[in-house]
Amino acid sequence: MIRAIWFLIKVAVVIAIAVWLADRPGTVTVTWLGYVIEMSFAVAVLIGLAALALAALGYRFVRGLLRSPGKLRRYGRSRRRERGYRALTQGLVAVAAGDAHTARKMARKADGLLNEPPLTMLLSAQAAQLQGDDRAAREYFTAMLDRPETAFLGLRGLLTQSLKAGDRVEALQLARRARSLQPNTPWLLGTLYDLEARAGDWASAEGTLQQAIQAGAIPAEDGRRHRTVLLLERSFEAERRGRGDAALSHAQQAHDLMPGFVPAAVRLARLQLAAGRHKQASKVIERAWRQGPHPELADVYREVTDGYDPVARVKLFEKLLTQAPNSVESQIAVARVAMEAKLWGEARNRLTRALEIEPSRRLYRLLAELERNERQDEEAARGWLAKAAAAPADPAWTCTECSAVSHAWGGLCGHCGAFDSLQWKAPTLAVSLMEPTEAAPALAKPSAA
Ligand SMILES: [Zn+2]
């Protein structure tokens, strides 16, 4: 609407000028190089206007010509970027699809077309990794460390590589460096915690574990158990350094966190026993027994009641029986002390009851022992031993990571170095009982203090 009005105004002005000129006739005479040109004033004005219009057109044409290379260049650049991003996208899709060849080709193409090192370096590294070229991937990841915007990604790549290669010392350094850049990344906290624990750096691991639980990397219930294991390892460490009080207080904390956790109860009771606190040690075992009878608890109870008359000791063990009367472990524990006290009838009753609850290799062996000691009946003993040989293996501290069996509990698997991986269960493979290896010096076995 405004444009139409504006146009009408312009037309009106032109008409007004034309009328004004027509009303005032006159001539213009031009003398140039001997020529004389005569024309009316109106025509002269028209020629002047036409000349101006031509000049304006010429100016625009020349300006357009002068500017076109820049425009062409810009057009070329945007085409290049477009192609670069397309290559980058295709490369990422290829990585996701596991197509190493295309990924690498697209990475090179994107790198040539785009001036975006953070993006193309990551793609190049991933493509190299996919192709199994760890050295090239490592170079890309290392180059990424130089730029603040890619440093964390580079560290993550290098960390994954060193974990894959089993270089835990380097992995720990990288993980600590990565945490200084991004302190609250859940996966990083979980990994760092595990590396610190495997390295036997118990105090640092405990701090990182708290952070990992807060960040949601480790469920609270698992975290509680991990913390218990860490406290037990700190207790062993304190004992090795001759700090008996700290050893006892760490064990007490561990036991308070998980009263039914056998290694914690065993550790605390043994330290209390060593400090001459027999009564407290008995209470710890009885409390743990109520939550879950276990042969190692029975062993410590035997140590606690060592000074007693054999028959009085059987009476004490019956306390355990009242804590968990239907447990095969309760029956076996009483039967063993009864055999030592030569209370054969009591021993036989207990073992027979245990056999009704759940037969096991260990139980058959005890029955063989009873036949030999009570009745000197070799034939009956051999019968039980044959049954023992055919029975499935008894539970032991078995690593959930590598299936190796340790004869004593520890926070680290003596075979594969995994943290908190030992569980009391029947070994799945026929792995011989092994001693914790020298390769894992941080592994400490609970010893009779
Ligand atoms: Zn293991």
Side-chain angles (χ1 to χ4, degrees):
M1 187 66 188
I2 292 169
R3 280 173 73 118
I5 292 170
W6 188 232
F7 178 73
L8 284 176
I9 291 172
K10 281 200 266 189
V11 170
V13 168
V14 169
I15 290 172
I17 290 170
V19 169
W20 188 81
L21 283 173
D23 283 353
R24 288 163 186 74
T27 54
V28 173
T29 309
V30 177
T31 313
W32 186 52
L33 298 174
Y35 295 96
V36 177
I37 302 163
E38 210 165 290
M39 63 189 100
S40 75
F41 181 70
V43 171
V45 167
L46 267 176
I47 289 173
L49 284 174
L52 266 178
L54 263 176
L57 266 174
Y59 171 72
R60 283 181 72 158
F61 179 71
V62 170
R63 200 182 59 167
L65 270 185
L66 285 174
R67 282 190 174 180
S68 57
K71 267 189 178 168
L72 273 174
R73 261 203 310 276
R74 270 202 301 281
Y75 176 72
R77 266 209 299 271
S78 82
R79 277 278 300 156
R80 213 176 145 80
R81 278 171 69 86
E82 205 176 285
R83 277 167 56 218
Y85 280 117
R86 201 179 305 136
L88 192 65
T89 313
Q90 283 172 339
L92 290 172
V93 170
V95 167
D99 178 356
H101 178 70
T102 310
R104 217 151 182 193
K105 201 172 102 188
M106 290 300 152
R108 265 198 295 273
K109 194 169 164 189
D111 195 37
L113 290 167
L114 290 173
N115 189 24
E116 300 265 13
L119 295 171
T120 52
M121 265 200 266
L122 182 61
L123 176 60
S124 301
Q126 285 182 328
Q129 249 180 342
L130 204 57
Q131 220 165 28
D133 189 349
D134 285 341
R135 230 186 54 176
R138 192 180 179 81
E139 275 166 23
Y140 285 118
F141 287 136
T142 309
M144 286 164 83
L145 301 184
D146 296 338
R147 292 166 167 269
E149 69 270 36
T150 52
F152 187 76
L153 280 173
L155 283 171
R156 182 185 180 149
L158 290 174
L159 177 58
T160 312
Q161 279 198 320
S162 47
L163 283 174
K164 208 174 102 186
D167 186 348
R168 290 208 285 266
V169 175
E170 193 194 59
L172 182 55
Q173 285 169 355
L174 291 164
R176 282 187 169 146
R177 206 169 144 193
R179 180 171 63 175
S180 70
L181 296 179
Q182 302 267 348
N184 295 314
T185 312
W187 68 262
L188 177 61
L189 288 170
T191 307
L192 178 58
Y193 154 66
D194 189 57
L195 286 167
E196 283 174 338
R198 281 169 185 250
D201 187 352
W202 313 117
S204 301
E206 215 183 321
T208 309
L209 174 64
Q210 290 300 337
Q211 281 183 294
I213 296 169
Q214 271 162 22
I218 294 173
E221 199 45 48
D222 293 355
R224 193 182 167 84
R225 188 188 147 103
H226 290 325
R227 177 136 191 268
T228 308
V229 174
L230 285 175
L231 283 164
L232 287 177
E233 285 298 351
R234 292 189 73 177
S235 169
F236 289 125
E237 192 179 49
E239 190 184 28
R240 281 195 296 274
R241 291 184 179 172
R243 293 168 51 225
D245 285 354
L248 191 61
S249 98
H250 287 316
Q252 183 74 57
Q253 283 182 57
H255 179 64
D256 290 346
L257 269 178
M258 289 185 76
F261 187 52
V262 171
V266 166
R267 173 79 185 147
L268 178 60
R270 285 215 165 105
L271 287 172
Q272 285 172 334
L273 189 60
R277 304 178 194 168
H278 288 64
K279 216 174 179 133
Q280 287 181 352
S282 302
K283 284 235 149 48
V284 167
I285 297 299
E286 286 157 19
R287 186 177 168 201
W289 196 271
R290 199 156 47 233
Q291 300 206 19
H294 191 281
E296 288 191 358
L297 291 172
D299 288 345
V300 183
Y301 210 63
R302 289 158 68 84
E303 289 165 29
V304 174
T305 54
D306 197 30
Y308 283 80
D309 159 76
V311 178
R313 206 181 189 191
V314 176
K315 288 270 166 272
L316 284 171
F317 263 78
E318 276 167 359
K319 254 193 190 168
L320 292 185
L321 188 63
T322 56
Q323 304 285 349
N326 296 319
S327 157
V328 69
E329 290 301 337
S330 295
Q331 305 292 339
I332 289 178
V334 177
R336 286 184 67 191
V337 282
M339 282 207 279
E340 278 162 19
K342 297 192 170 33
L343 299 175
W344 307 119
E346 170 76 352
R348 190 171 290 276
N349 281 344
R350 294 295 155 213
L351 291 181
T352 311
R353 175 80 188 102
L355 207 55
E356 286 163 16
I357 301 169
E358 197 191 359
S360 66
R361 187 178 281 186
R362 195 159 52 108
L363 190 51
Y364 291 135
R365 286 202 182 123
L366 286 171
L367 282 159
E369 204 181 313
L370 181 68
E371 297 297 352
R372 266 192 199 131
N373 292 337
E374 186 196 355
R375 299 174 179 162
Q376 288 79 45
D377 188 343
E378 267 308 314
E379 203 185 320
R382 271 201 298 278
W384 288 120
L385 287 177
K387 283 195 166 192
D394 288 322
W397 292 115
T398 308
C399 177
T400 50
E401 302 278 321
C402 71
S403 300
V405 173
S406 293
H407 81 144
W409 179 88
L412 296 172
C413 169
H415 186 244
C416 72
F419 175 72
D420 190 15
S421 64
L422 297 189
Q423 275 187 8
W424 186 255
K425 59 174 194 169
T428 42
L429 298 166
V431 185
S432 61
L433 289 176
M434 50 166 288
E435 294 282 338
T437 59
E438 289 299 312
L443 186 134
K445 47 183 178 177
S447 54

